[in-house]
Amino acid sequence: MSRVVFDHVTKRFGDVVAVDDLSLEVHDKEFLVVLGPSGCGKSTALRLVAGLEEPAEGNIIIGDRIVNNVEAKNRNVAMVFQNYALFPHMSVYDNMAFGLRMRRIPRRERDQKVLDAARMLGLQDLLRRRPGELSGGQRQRVALGRAIVRNPSVFLMDEPLSNLDAKLRVQTRRELVKLHRQLETTVIFVTHDQVEAMTMGARIAIIHEGALQQVGDPQEVYRHPVNLFVASFIGSPAMNFFHCELRLHDGQPIAYSGGARFPLTEGQARSLAALRGQQVIIGVRPEHILPDWEAEEGSEGGLNVVVDTVESMGHEQHVTFSAGDTTIVARLDAARSLRDGERLRLMIDQAHVHFFDPDSGQRVE
Amino acid sequence: MDATDATANQRLPLIAVANRLLQRLRGVNRLGFALIFLAPSLVIFSAFVFYPLMKAVYLGFYETDNFGNQGDFVAVDQYRTVLSSEAFRHSLWVTFLFALYTVPPGILLGLALALLANQKLPGISIFRIMFSSTVATSVAVASLMWLTLLNPSVGLLNYFLVEAGQPRIDWLNDLDWALPAVSATTVWLNLGLAFIVILAGLQTIPEELYESARVEGASDWSVFWHVTLPLLSPTLFFVSVVGTILAFQSFGQIHILTRGGPLDATTVIVYSIWQDAFQRFDYGVASVQAVALFLLVLGLTVIQLRFVERRVFYQ
């Protein structure tokens, strides 16, 4: 039983609130990704679990035990640091065996565990080397190996992939997910990279300015972002936002933004009825913007835009349009090539539009 | 030569000439060119190091008469007699003891203070300044301070002894205590340097290593033993070699506190050299000892340099 619970945890550094009343439960054997921009407090949250920081308020619970006053060495957690934090004066073997030696595991058992982990990670030929003689990817695996051998109840990973090159990062991402499946242990994985979060996490917890914004599986946070921050942080290219006013047009509720009109679906009109005459922010993902030649016959509304830049991805293209002083990014099929400066009309897939309250930033359903 | 070069050369004839001269110098004799830049330091080193060194070796081959003048050429005889003499062996032994009494305690104290001062506490820089302040204290000032502390009748040390019901000790005139007393002064004097170097060494150890050791289950003692100490070992080695060289060269505190006494109990090699050269005016004997001391320190330096190469391995 190795769930981890943050129960109204607050951590301050002087006047800076690093973690602000965080409540979050990481389930047993779950791979949870904590995602947020740099300086949002996600690493601090991880260090609170490791025992490297003490909470000012609230409780940290590992399993069924409140560990606020338990020293790091007695928490049975393992941590993989961003720079791996390998001991430069020790061989790979000694690095991996360090935790076992500290726990006075007998030599034969120690050797066996280190060898097993080394085999699992493909490190068996490197055991006598020192970290300085290894590549970045190898060091990263040694850091993982050091965590694995102790069979900890919780793995804590603090941006462990950020020092790897792009190709190795993608490869290691998959290996980590497989490793988690093999080990069946709770993993808390901190990252600022939303692609990592989306691809690895069974659930993603998004943190901003020390506060938890949303927890959910990747699809959930992508499809139903609870507020403007999550909506803008998740997804690449980022969501487009339009400041709109809700009005009636021929008895039909319509959102206006500058010259553009966004007709609402019946369901949306119903849920937004109370907000008539008020401001609302409409969020549209780049893949829900269509050029008019792809839109259905007779669809209403639309934005007249000019092509600004075209980034070709091969299978698709990311096109930046300008409409007045707003820019709009769309993911379009690569079949029809667009020229800079070309004028066209964009339609919006109305069913996939998100609404947010401009004052609170919260989602309006 | 093309047209642009020609016009540039016409406009700046001096630079063109200088350029050609430099090229020729480089082509003809790179060493000569290098010597131009080395000349200032070569002159200074020659005047104050190389010449006196050679002169000392040379003087060792000659006896010195009673008036301090260069006497007969005796080849290596003087080296043989001096280096095998009871007095030289005694001063070598005293020097060894002096190094033993000053270097290990100095490192241990410096390490202890550096560990204390490496904490992140408010106002810690005040302590860092205090602990390193002996670097800025001259030998004379330190010696006078300790002369007062060690004074048999009004000194603080004896005050505590008397308070504890113990007999007074005449520190600087006691055969057994004179060398430890001078050593204590030296430890204090060299502590600032050891402290600064060790603290700098501690600060190069990444915080993450301590943290990962703690998460891996290491106690405070284990962290110190398995992480801090091994990563600090090159620094500690450096401090020990520099400390030993400093000990071998100590003069001022001995001159002020004990003048080599009582009964040569504190006559280290440097003091013996000074006595032979400037009290007895026997430059030959002094030179022989100086050459021996030079070789000793040279050996230590070579060991140190070798180790510095190994240290690079850690990074």
Side-chain angles (χ1 to χ4, degrees), chain A residues 47 50-53 72-73 77 79 81 85 87 98 146 150 158, chain B residues 120 205-218 223 227:
Chain A
R47 294 165 59 84
L52 297 172
E53 307 284 353
K73 66 186 172 98
V77 299
M79 187 152 169
F81 291 80
F87 304 118
F98 186 79
R146 184 169 67 180
R150 286 204 282 111
D158 192 359
Chain B
K120 286 193 190 84
I205 302 175
E207 187 69 28
E208 277 187 350
L209 292 187
Y210 295 123
E211 290 178 344
S212 84
R214 277 168 61 200
V215 174
E216 287 298 300
V223 171
V227 179

Side-chain angles (χ1 to χ4, degrees), chain A residues 32-64:
Chain A
L32 180 102
V33 175
V34 178
L35 174 68
S38 47
C40 74
K42 56 191 190 299
S43 287
T44 307
L46 199 70
R47 294 165 59 84
L48 283 162
V49 180
L52 297 172
E53 307 284 353
E54 273 176 50
E57 287 159 33
N59 292 319
I60 305 275
I61 298 158
I62 298 178
D64 294 317

